[in-house]
Amino acid sequence: CKYIARREIDFSTSPPTIGSEELFDIESASGISNPVVPYRTFMGYDADNDAILMFVGNRSGSTGLAAFAGSTVKLLSIKRDFSSYSIEIDDVLSLVKSAYSAIDKIRYYAHAWRINGLGVAAVDTYAGSSEVSIILKDTGSGWVAERHNERYDYVQERVEPIWDGSTFAGFL
């Protein structure tokens, strides 16, 4: 995944008008020479900063569908208009190990959201062949990792915001 692309679509015309394609250079922004995104990737969204939240790894060898296995993984925040970006988390594997040191890889999934100052991410972590349930939370002064549920230690595939009418209620 060297680039992500966007096009604006104007639905006020019939038929809708499709604008020109704009590209964002994932490779340069992440500093990763062979970038790969998660299997069944989900783009997260930072509603507070109008930015796309996207996990990117360094594809290493023939990892098949387990794109992140054995690689560096970062969380990028990319302004929706592609005007700027930042690296939210530079080393996701080290962060998840702070919650459970036996974790040795991140595999298929990683997904993040931020709304009303609350940031959360689900990351597909493994210790050997065992899934480990890790959630990342943005504390306002940085991201922390938490072992989510030791009794049912299965990975979460993604995060969904919950709304009560037009009021943000939290994440599921």
Side-chain angles (χ1 to χ4, degrees):
C1 177
K2 301 256 186 213
Y3 301 95
I4 57 172
R6 80 176 187 118
R7 289 180 185 249
E8 291 190 21
I9 301 173
D10 181 359
F11 289 101
S12 67
T13 63
S14 181
T17 306
I18 300 174
S20 60
E21 182 178 76
E22 291 180 63
L23 296 176
F24 181 82
D25 182 353
I26 295 293
E27 184 175 30
S28 296
S30 65
I32 293 174
S33 62
N34 196 13
V36 63
V37 294
Y39 174 63
R40 287 193 230 160
T41 190
F42 299 101
M43 298 249 186
Y45 188 65
D46 179 345
D48 295 352
N49 299 300
D50 194 25
I52 299 162
L53 295 174
M54 181 178 184
F55 286 87
V56 179
N58 185 36
R59 184 158 176 86
S60 56
S62 178
T63 55
L65 294 177
F68 286 160
S71 74
T72 299
V73 179
K74 299 180 180 195
L75 175 59
L76 294 180
S77 174
I78 305 164
K79 289 300 265 184
R80 193 167 50 103
D81 65 2
F82 291 176
S83 63
S84 64
Y85 68 92
S86 62
I87 296 176
E88 289 267 339
I89 304 172
D90 191 51
D91 184 353
V92 178
L93 185 58
S94 290
L95 181 59
V96 297
K97 283 177 172 252
S98 70
Y100 187 65
S101 63
I103 292 171
D104 57 357
K105 63 184 157 283
I106 297 169
R107 292 189 71 182
Y108 307 105
Y109 313 108
H111 188 233
W113 278 84
R114 183 181 290 119
I115 300 173
N116 292 348
L118 299 173
V120 67
V123 181
D124 184 13
T125 62
Y126 281 74
S129 62
S130 299
E131 295 179 358
V132 181
S133 181
I134 298 289
I135 298 294
L136 306 180
K137 296 191 292 187
D138 182 2
T139 64
S141 58
W143 290 84
V144 296
E146 175 182 292
R147 189 162 182 197
H148 184 60
N149 187 339
E150 293 180 35
R151 182 172 179 197
Y152 300 105
D153 216 1
Y154 300 104
V155 298
Q156 280 69 46
E157 293 184 16
R158 62 189 209 174
V159 175
E160 293 294 336
I162 301 169
W163 301 88
D164 182 6
S166 62
T167 304
F168 171 65
F171 292 104
L172 174 63

